[in-house]
Amino acid sequence: MHLKETIKQKLEQKKKLFIPVIHCLSRESIKHSVSVAHQSSVDGVVFIDQGNVHAETIIKEIIPEVRRLYPKLPVGLNILGNCMAALNAKPDFIWTDQSGIGLTDSDTFPLLPKNRDSLWFGGVAFKYQKQVPKEHWHLLASRAKEYMDVVVTSGDGTGVAIEPDKAKSFKEALTTNYPLGVASGVTTENVNQILNYVDVFIVASSIEKTFGFLDLEKTKLLSDLIHYYNHP
């Protein structure tokens, strides 16, 4: 089974997914963090080109090596400012901070085409993007699900937790049949506040020892808390 199908199957089964972000500081940090993620029974990793490793190196060298070493680990990619480069790399999933989805057809310009080889985890009402008033959350989430595989939202900034009311509003708009992702501020202390609403947890800051290096104890603990929801 193609690994993107593994992700789709888990989501269809209403499983909660935990996906650490790998900041590509160096080859050493990537090797360490992918190993930590694998030991923590994560549902995938997503590489982001923040660090000293160039996007082209991530695509041409890092991802093939990770797939060789961990053939059952889904791999995602976020190339900041160049989603087409990520699309051409054909990872199992692509995460973008923006999505191009607006409140009307006239202001909607999807960043990725509907016909694609990778799943799309698209940012909607996302940190550092144009703010969306809460009265428009429901409509925007409803529109976004027509274009992407997972709608991903966030708190107001990196490391800032999403308000449970925002997660609830998005999930109600998407319904239980469509997955919601969150990518900011998820910690072992607050994850239980949104587990009822969120399906995909994309996490970096709270599980890093230092930038680019995942902490094994923190990563395992968060993984256990999220996956316990699947098998209480």
Side-chain angles (χ1 to χ4, degrees):
M1 180 186 294
H2 194 286
L3 294 184
K4 86 170 184 182
E5 297 300 325
T6 301
I7 295 175
K8 287 178 67 175
Q9 187 178 77
K10 287 182 177 181
L11 292 172
E12 288 166 359
Q13 294 170 347
K14 306 296 189 293
K15 301 290 189 183
K16 303 292 184 181
L17 273 58
F18 173 41
I19 299 176
V21 178
I22 309 295
H23 290 117
C24 295
L25 178 65
S26 66
R27 289 178 182 269
E28 176 192 2
S29 71
I30 293 169
K31 181 179 179 180
H32 166 87
S33 292
V34 174
S35 175
V36 166
H38 183 257
Q39 292 176 67
S40 302
S41 302
V42 303
D43 300 287
V45 295
V46 56
F47 295 105
I48 187 168
D49 62 330
Q50 288 182 323
N52 299 322
V53 182
H54 192 272
E56 185 175 359
T57 302
I58 298 170
I59 292 169
K60 293 185 176 181
E61 300 179 27
I62 301 298
I63 289 179
E65 178 69 3
V66 169
R67 283 177 161 164
R68 183 184 68 82
L69 293 173
Y70 305 98
K72 295 184 178 180
L73 180 68
V75 173
L77 188 57
N78 184 345
I79 301 298
L80 298 170
N82 194 346
C83 60
M84 295 311 295
L87 185 69
N88 293 333
K90 298 183 179 179
D92 300 304
F93 62 97
I94 296 167
W95 167 37
T96 60
D97 292 5
Q98 303 181 55
S99 61
I101 309 304
L103 294 169
T104 66
D105 289 344
S106 63
D107 64 355
T108 293
F109 305 94
L111 291 185
L112 296 180
K114 284 195 172 183
N115 294 323
R116 54 185 180 265
D117 294 309
S118 308
L119 301 177
W120 183 14
F121 294 18
V124 177
F126 203 75
K127 58 188 178 182
Y128 309 124
Q129 309 302 324
K130 182 179 178 181
Q131 285 206 332
V132 179
K134 63 172 58 181
E135 59 267 25
H136 293 156
W137 288 344
H138 194 282
L139 174 60
L140 189 59
S142 298
R143 287 179 54 79
K145 71 179 183 180
E146 302 301 322
Y147 296 90
M148 59 194 68
D149 301 285
V150 179
V151 168
V152 181
T153 192
S154 73
D156 292 337
T158 299
V160 178
I162 188 173
E163 291 293 334
D165 284 351
K166 184 178 182 181
K168 181 180 180 182
S169 178
F170 265 69
K171 190 58 182 176
E172 287 174 347
L174 296 173
T175 75
T176 57
N177 294 322
Y178 191 92
L180 172 65
V182 163
S184 79
V186 176
T187 70
T188 54
E189 289 77 23
N190 66 28
V191 67
N192 285 329
Q193 298 175 22
I194 56 173
L195 265 169
N196 283 335
Y197 313 122
V198 177
D199 306 287
V200 180
F201 297 83
I202 301 172
V203 187
S205 305
S206 73
I207 56 172
E208 286 182 319
K209 187 180 303 182
T210 58
F211 183 79
F213 288 85
L214 294 184
D215 181 279
L216 180 58
E217 183 177 352
K218 293 177 181 178
T219 307
K220 275 189 171 182
L221 179 55
L222 187 54
S223 182
D224 288 345
L225 290 171
I226 292 170
H227 291 138
Y228 180 77
Y229 192 95
N230 297 333
H231 306 286

